Amino acid sequence: MDDARTPAPESPGSGSENAQIENVSDTALMVAACRALETERPDGLVRDPFARRLAGERGMAIARASPIPEWMCFGVGTRARFMDELLTESLANGQIRTVANLGAGLDTRPWRLALDPGLDWIEADFPHMLEYKAARLGDVPPGCRLEQVATDLDDKDAQVRLFQHVGPRPALMITEGLLMYLLFSPDMLRLAAGEWKSPVEKFRPEDHLFGQALLGAVEEAGWKVSAKRTYAREGAAAAGARAASLLEASKKLGAIPEAGRDDISGIYLFKHA
Ligand SMILES: C[S@@+](CC[C@H](N)C(=O)[O-])C[C@H]1O[C@@H](n2cnc3c(N)ncnc32)[C@H](O)[C@@H]1O
């Protein structure tokens, strides 16, 4: 792991004056801030009562300093809402007994969703991130059986240990805002500009997969798409009356986003074939 991706021990959340993203874990503060801002607007796409305390002043400052806060909040809000929908549908018949959230960051689903109290929920992230979260949320009991696993998901052995730990029972694995460092679709790249693009460019590995190649790799490994919500289609519909201000925000970037035919950005549910 290189230095840029290695979190400093005191971060995230150190120094409310610093609105720069300095390591990959700072992106968790930023997305928590976006969920807080969404929660506070009447037409917000997600309701997360814990987001503001988790984002802290630094997360709020990072989000506000973004060149396109409107787009970022819409993107994070849409992603959270679609993930909530697919997760709730997947858990409805009670067959899945374990959820593993990889790169869980400051996600609060175990606290904010109505879950079966007997469901096992595993959150995996860097140790400092889990410690920061526990310090800010430790007084609130989760609605299911929560376990937090400190790990480096770049480490293949650590991945194997985590999957062994999940065990053989039917499980659902979530990654939200983690694969972004491995995948960024061509259409999203066209939309992204300047500083907004840089956190992704800065922290993702050189051998990342791109667009359809990522879906292809998942399918080659024996997984089939069982449900999806794309940002281009369902996301645009979710924007509703916000579409006009989003277009205004993208004019400031000098680009109007176009949904290309092969834009795969969105939320996917895979089942093993
Ligand atoms: C953009 S945040 C998303 C957090 C959360 N899933 C959400 O949507 O709010 C990315 C998260 O992935 C974690 N992460 C990135 N690379 C990781 C790695 N190699 N091992 C463990 N966690 C990692 C970061 O610490 C951070 O919490």
Side-chain angles (χ1 to χ4, degrees):
M1 194 163 51
D2 63 42
D3 286 338
R5 301 178 61 240
T6 307
E10 71 276 19
S11 63
S14 59
S16 60
E17 72 290 346
N18 180 4
Q20 296 297 312
I21 293 180
E22 285 173 354
N23 61 61
V24 72
S25 295
D26 283 344
T27 61
L29 295 177
M30 181 181 73
V31 295
C34 290
R35 286 193 290 267
L37 293 169
E38 282 297 303
T39 301
E40 289 157 19
R41 53 183 294 169
D43 60 352
L45 290 152
V46 66
R47 295 277 170 257
D48 184 344
F50 308 106
R52 187 170 268 271
R53 74 157 93 168
L54 287 167
E57 284 179 43
R58 178 135 180 271
M60 299 309 289
I62 292 173
R64 281 196 209 96
S66 149
I68 45 165
E70 268 282 303
W71 266 109
M72 226 171 47
C73 288
F74 165 73
V76 170
T78 314
R79 184 172 87 187
R81 171 185 281 212
F82 289 166
M83 186 76 83
D84 283 358
E85 285 175 11
L86 293 187
L87 175 77
T88 307
E89 285 168 22
S90 305
L91 295 180
N93 65 11
Q95 283 179 359
I96 290 170
R97 302 311 307 146
T98 306
V99 175
N101 189 353
L102 274 51
L106 303 175
D107 171 59
T108 60
R109 289 190 177 86
W111 291 266
R112 68 178 174 79
L113 294 184
L115 298 171
D116 176 349
L119 179 73
D120 286 314
W121 190 292
I122 298 170
E123 294 192 324
D125 209 300
F126 290 123
H128 73 277
M129 173 57 66
L130 296 176
E131 282 158 20
Y132 169 87
K133 187 172 183 177
R136 299 228 162 187
L137 207 55
D139 56 331
V140 188
C144 60
R145 290 160 24 148
L146 179 70
E147 185 185 1
Q148 293 174 318
V149 176
T151 189
D152 177 357
L153 295 165
D154 268 347
D155 178 338
K156 293 265 182 265
D157 293 340
Q159 288 173 13
V160 171
R161 279 197 299 277
L162 182 67
F163 295 143
Q164 282 170 346
H165 184 68
V166 169
R169 297 200 305 168
L172 176 71
M173 184 178 87
I174 298 178
T175 66
E176 182 180 25
L178 177 68
L179 293 182
M180 199 169 180
Y181 301 96
L182 310 176
L183 155 77
F184 217 47
S185 80
D187 286 306
M188 292 296 281
L189 260 187
R190 263 207 300 281
L191 171 62
E195 290 166 55
W196 190 58
K197 184 162 79 174
S198 67
V200 174
E201 295 288 294
K202 191 168 162 188
F203 300 124
R204 69 181 179 177
E206 281 179 11
D207 61 348
H208 67 275
L209 295 172
F210 204 76
Q212 290 288 351
L214 183 79
L215 276 187
V218 175
E219 281 171 5
E220 265 174 41
W223 297 85
K224 290 250 173 293
V225 176
S226 105
K228 66 178 176 182
R229 306 271 195 282
T230 63
Y231 294 140
R233 209 176 39 251
E234 288 89 353
R242 291 171 67 175
S245 68
L246 287 172
L247 285 176
E248 204 46 49
S250 56
K251 273 188 210 154
K252 284 186 201 147
L253 294 175
I256 302 289
E258 291 167 31
R261 273 196 317 262
D262 57 355
D263 181 14
I264 65 154
S265 305
I267 300 292
Y268 287 74
L269 176 67
F270 294 97
K271 282 197 177 152
H272 210 265

